[in-house]
Amino acid sequence: MVRANGAVSLRELARVVQTSEVTVRRDVRALEAEGLLDRRHGGAVLPGGFTRESGFPQKSHLATAEKTAIADLAAGLVEEGEAIVVGAGTTTQELARRLARVPGLTVVTNSLLVAQALAHANRVEVVMTGGTLRGSNYALVGSGAEQSLQGLRVSRAFLSGSGLTAERGLSTSNMLSASVDRALVQAAAEVVVLADHTKLGTDTMFQTVPTDVITRLVTDEPPLHDDRAATELQALADQGVQIAVAGPGMADPGHGAEAAGPASSPGGRRPRRMGPPGAAKGGDELPLPGPRRNHPPGPGGPPQLRSTAALADQQAAAGGNRAARIADLRGR
């Protein structure tokens, strides 16, 4: 499967071979020891290290359900009549498909796939950068793309990448793509990163968005035993990144609008975290862990975050059958 797709998630492997993720993880370790693949957070890729980047066909098959849920939730952040920038990537392409329903929207992008997803949206204006086409991800890069973004100002930038850590922020494996992404960030008042759990804790070659510039992270809930992702989420929250976690029930059309909460800033809406199976519909509103660019702290300061261990103890005492694997991002 890795040879055919370039990358694969542990969750998908477990589903295909009908076994547990624990068993799949053990087998992936054995294959890595033989040099047949490289383990990545939540999955496996072809060998290649920091410099290797999978093409669009390979990326499009990795964590597809998670990307759909993330796009549903992120779409709830966009208001009618806004001007935004959307970077290249398979997750941002999913977001673009949902933005076609937002009237009066202006989308600036360097991605042919994002533009294609919005091509038939009557009430959305699409502005494309110049630049040189990079065929592996259907994106415009180079000095032409960067120069076309000079002097531009929009409310939000929606970006994805190859990896995200609390230490370095968002990163990618390609220098030209990183340079254009930095130009997109410079044009936006807020930066929203879309990254599924397989990218959390992964560090790649070129930094695109430092952690202190990221306003929000929209991600999915890591699977059981994924301690690395849980630790990374907590570290990002501690640094003031607002985190929205899309639950399993969000991967359906139009759910992003339902997941939107009350305004957290003028012209913006705050997404809600979808709870685990059996939780009340609609989930709980996310706290704002700390002040970010253009997001002043609310009265009383940021809410406290519960540690993963504390939440696990609480659920065990209540007789819960699923230990908490991520930091509880709901306010006390």
Side-chain angles (χ1 to χ4, degrees):
M1 288 179 68
V2 172
R3 284 172 177 165
N5 300 321
V8 67
S9 69
L10 294 179
R11 185 177 295 172
E12 178 67 9
L13 282 172
R15 184 190 67 80
V16 170
V17 302
Q18 298 182 342
T19 187
S20 68
E21 289 188 28
V22 175
T23 299
V24 168
R25 188 176 290 106
R26 183 187 63 224
D27 293 341
V28 166
R29 287 197 193 100
L31 291 170
E32 183 182 45
E34 296 178 23
L36 298 175
L37 50 77
D38 285 346
R39 280 190 298 157
R40 286 292 180 268
H41 185 53
V45 299
L46 288 172
F50 277 94
T51 59
R52 184 179 181 88
E53 181 184 33
S54 300
F56 172 79
Q58 291 79 24
K59 290 180 179 179
S60 63
H61 293 294
L62 184 61
T64 53
E66 291 86 347
K67 292 172 183 176
T68 300
I70 290 168
D72 286 337
L73 186 55
L77 296 171
V78 181
E79 297 284 347
E80 295 183 11
E82 266 196 284
I84 63 174
V85 294
V86 179
T90 53
T91 310
T92 52
Q93 181 189 22
E94 287 295 325
L95 171 63
R97 292 181 177 132
R98 288 146 183 82
L99 296 182
R101 301 188 293 264
V102 182
L105 187 65
T106 300
V107 177
V108 181
T109 185
N110 69 319
S111 169
L112 298 186
L113 298 174
V114 168
Q116 183 183 40
L118 295 167
H120 299 293
N122 294 330
R123 298 176 292 178
V124 178
E125 180 179 1
V126 180
V127 179
M128 296 208 66
T129 68
T132 303
L133 178 62
R134 184 166 179 259
S136 61
N137 64 345
Y138 303 95
L140 297 172
V141 297
S143 60
E146 295 170 39
Q147 290 172 9
S148 66
L149 293 165
Q150 292 180 1
L152 180 70
R153 193 62 173 168
V154 298
S155 58
R156 293 181 180 89
F158 291 87
L159 299 175
S160 60
S162 301
L164 177 66
T165 65
E167 181 180 359
R168 286 188 74 214
L170 190 67
S171 62
T172 187
S173 302
N174 181 265
M175 181 172 62
L176 294 175
S177 295
S179 187
V180 174
D181 282 352
R182 285 192 287 266
L184 292 171
V185 168
Q186 290 298 317
E190 299 176 16
V191 178
V192 181
V193 170
L194 311 181
D196 63 78
H197 72 272
T198 65
K199 297 177 182 178
L200 296 176
T202 298
D203 197 6
T204 52
M205 203 167 179
F206 299 98
Q207 183 191 56
T208 56
V209 189
T211 305
D212 61 358
V213 177
I214 299 172
T215 310
R216 299 176 189 268
L217 165 64
V218 184
T219 186
D220 64 293
E221 186 167 354
L224 289 172
H225 312 297
D226 201 339
D227 296 324
R228 182 172 156 189
T231 300
E232 208 65 51
L233 278 178
Q234 183 65 61
L236 288 162
D238 289 343
Q239 293 197 35
V241 177
Q242 301 171 27
I243 299 177
V245 181
M250 293 207 62
D252 61 276
H255 202 101
E258 295 176 7
S264 61
S265 61
R269 292 182 291 177
R270 185 179 1 157
R272 295 182 179 182
R273 178 185 185 273
M274 297 301 295
K281 291 183 179 180
D284 298 306
E285 290 185 17
L286 285 171
L288 305 183
R292 303 299 301 156
R293 185 171 57 170
N294 293 332
H295 285 272
Q304 299 297 313
L305 298 177
R306 301 177 194 165
S307 68
T308 306
L311 184 58
D313 292 342
Q314 177 184 336
Q315 289 195 353
N321 58 4
R322 185 177 188 269
R325 307 310 303 172
I326 64 171
D328 184 8
L329 300 174
R330 291 170 285 180
R332 288 180 177 174

